[in-house]
Amino acid sequence: MSLADQELIVEFVTESLAHLADSERQLLEIEASAPRINVELVNTVFRAVHSIKGAAGFLGLHAINQLAHHLENVLNLMRNRQLEPNSSAIDTLLRSVDCLRSLLGNVEQSNEANVSQFIDALRSLESNEAAQEGPLAALDGAAPMPRADASEAGHTVTGAVATPPTESSIRVPVHLLDGLMSLAGELVIGRNRLLQAIAEEDDRELETVGARLNQVTRDLQAAVMRSRMQPIGNVFTRFHRVVRDLSARFGKQCELVVEGQDVELDKAIVEAIGDPLTHLIRNSFDHGLETPEQRMLSGKPACGTIRLTATHQAGGVRITIEDDGAGIDGGRVKARAVARSLITAEQASAMSDRDALRLIFLPGFSTAEVITELSGRGVGMDVVKTNIARLGGTVDIETNVGLGTTIDIKLPLTLAIMSSLVVRSAAQRFAIPQNSIREIVRIRRADAASRIERIKNALVLRLRGQLLPLVRLGDVLGIPNAEHIETVIVIEVGRLCYGLIVDGVDDAEEIVVKPLGRHLKDCLCFTGAAVLGNGRVALILDVGGIADHAELAKPKGRAGANDRVAHVDEIAQQSVLLFANGSTERFAVPANQVKRIERITADQIESVGGCAVLQYSSCALPLLSLEHFIRAAPRPQCKRLFVVVFEVAGKELGLLAPRIHEIRTVPTKIDTNSFREPGVSGSIVLDGKTVRIVDLPTLAAMADPRRHDPSTTQSADLEPWPTISPLFQDAQQACVPAVVGR
Amino acid sequence: MTTATFTQSPTEQLGELHLATFRVGKLLTGIDIRHVVQISRVQEITPVPHAPTSVLGVINLRGEVVTEIDLGVLLGLSPIEITAEARQVIVLVAGEPVGLLVDRVADITVVRRETIDPRPENLNGCDARFFCGVYQQEAELLAVLDLEQMLAAVGDHAGPS
């Protein structure tokens, strides 16, 4: 085979696979709209198969050509309305497409593969003797090249559903390549200027060139990253098929709703997230969804829903898998964990349901009473969690018994380059990924005694009325610590928060992540290493691994004790964000209900359908003015103002506040008589002035009575540590709001 | 396991083996030169907490992060002292570069395969598992290292006593 031929074949395979990737989804859509025939879609699939057939014939790939030919015939009948796209016909088509794909995956040997069974099945459809059982039964497990498939779970290993082979080539828009080329050109010019400046010892020129190179490097980095970005929809499409096959096989009805297919992620992450997601979706299907009869009994529609959503969030991507099934019973989880001796009965009784949920991430845990074909083989959520952690992401779970379960995954956009904070411990430097840092707290020596406490050998920090478990980095790594605790990095891993004590903070640095060698694979406190600007190597801390090492996340450790402590503490005091609306009146909101604060200008406020909204990261944030809901003096006209962003029932809302004063720790005991009204939970007296406490959930309900019913919304201050997330940068001193826009 | 594990190569077919030799304590030892990427002065090493005892840490080798191993500790001898003569030998094993710290670089020796004797049970008190044979060079023995075997044993906590 000549070189040119080989190139042609590679191109043919890439293109054909791209065609087929869409075909699967389209076939499923055709099935969904049956008995009406969506001729447009059938045509699209037909065209894809047709072009594969043509090219295969030209390249001498008989098997592919033959199979495509018969597929084409069947599709032709379908578009001429001579064949109904019933599930048996679609099944045969899907399996033939699968076969076609596996032939393409091994194109060199494709001519030797036996495809006669598929062709026979397609023929019987062609001759309109589409017997319901015939073609299907003939096909079971008959793929010419073994391929794990959901519907063949009986024969194959679990967890390996339809994983497409890692593609060795990707499509990149030409304009991106052009951009890269011109940046490479600028880089060369920059280097030449740099060499000249060094030769001439021209310091001023050096500075200019340095700045220019900095700019070019950044653009280059961004452009390369963009060229690696792939829509997550590439992974999502295959789940329609997974859910369809599972439904057919296990007699449950389930609809998969997919949102946010356009969200883009680094190619490496898109490829690696497929398996964990498959596992989670199968779990939701198997453990979450009830049978149609059970669902009817509990007053739910017979058909369950799994909702798969991807959104951009805080410089990363968030994927949620939401089912409306039975939910997870904390009691059962605990019982199972005790039965498997993962925890003791005492630990179980001291554990909150939320902590109990985390038990399912422990190795060797499985809740299914009966081990089914689908899941319950002991390789479960712990593998999912490890795989996601390897991608630098976190996974969390939330459940409502009887209503459903939500799995929440957060992923970084890219693996290769990340922003980090370089910290010191002893003389060593370590990098911490910025996306896991919530804030940095500096503790004055004078305050150390009052803010840091020791409870049962565990250090805790008093932070805005909460107790934050502390971990000394030196202790974890077995290197000496500084004597005084001055700098605490508040780390957020999923729902877990802890303070990492370091000796000092150096600088923020963009680092290129390098893997550690095979001899260091057991060092679970590090995710990799990076070469810093000074040429030295710094290890990148695995904040999850450190929490595990310090036994923060494990139920065996101190988590139970912390919960109780935090709870007691919360009764005593809470921290509130103080702000003004009119000129004199003062208001407060509990700081733990505030997600973040944005600074905006008045002209950024839009009016849509009589409601004020703010365009923020491509979605509209509804804005509330206090005076519309409670007795308050109207807000004066002002050019700049703040938006206090809070979340109720998963929806973000913004409260307009012209002036923000400070964050204060106040007693939780408030006067609930004098100024009580809907939207105001009570008042306190601070510095001789009355401050009214705004009840955010009620306010949200008043703003949109359909959406937010406060009775079903769990108020954030009922939850003990560690769910609360006020996102202020060192709010002890001052509040530095994030600025919207650039 | 008594068979030597050299991969087939033209040199081997000719019956000749090129060995980069160096000293670890008193021991004279050699590595098949095809594995050696470079030999250089010891550079700054970043220690890695929780690493196996023979791993000194990681170094920046032209932008790549490379694991640095103390060959003295690994062979069960005393740790390498970082003197002016100490060197790091970067070897490529299983596609991954690894730095080996040695006391002193000796020479490059060409030996005929048939002149390599099977390894003795004990070699100056270090673990014989890591050698694929010995060669009588003038008055002393040159121990030929089995790199793959040796580097696979890095994580073993038991290690040579």
Side-chain angles (χ1 to χ4, degrees), chain A residues 60-81:
Chain A
L61 303 165
H62 318 300
I64 294 177
N65 174 269
Q66 282 298 310
L67 187 58
H69 173 73
H70 288 281
L71 258 170
E72 202 188 68
N73 286 348
V74 172
L75 287 165
N76 193 32
L77 286 175
M78 209 173 266
R79 70 174 175 178
N80 294 336
R81 300 176 195 278

Side-chain angles (χ1 to χ4, degrees), chain B residues 24-94:
Chain B
V24 180
K26 282 190 198 131
L27 178 76
L28 180 65
T29 173
I31 298 176
D32 184 347
I33 202 156
R34 285 170 297 161
H35 287 301
V36 178
V37 178
Q38 72 168 61
I39 298 176
S40 55
R41 284 180 188 282
V42 183
Q43 59 190 97
E44 192 178 353
I45 301 171
T46 303
V48 179
H50 302 164
T53 45
S54 56
V55 175
L56 286 167
V58 286
I59 56 164
N60 166 16
L61 184 75
R62 293 184 294 272
E64 289 303 310
V65 174
V66 171
T67 312
E68 188 102 317
I69 290 170
D70 186 322
L71 203 53
V73 176
L74 185 58
L75 294 179
L77 305 169
S78 48
I80 306 288
E81 252 179 77
I82 300 190
T83 61
E85 293 207 297
R87 290 290 184 275
Q88 60 187 18
V89 182
I90 310 288
V91 292
L92 194 66
V93 178

Side-chain angles (χ1 to χ4, degrees), chain A residues 428 476 514 517 519 535-537, chain B residues 44 46-47 49-50 60 63 96 151:
Chain A
Q428 261 189 277
V476 171
K514 302 278 178 188
H519 302 116
R536 291 196 189 134
V537 181
Chain B
E44 192 178 353
T46 303
H50 302 164
N60 166 16
E96 185 194 326
L151 290 179

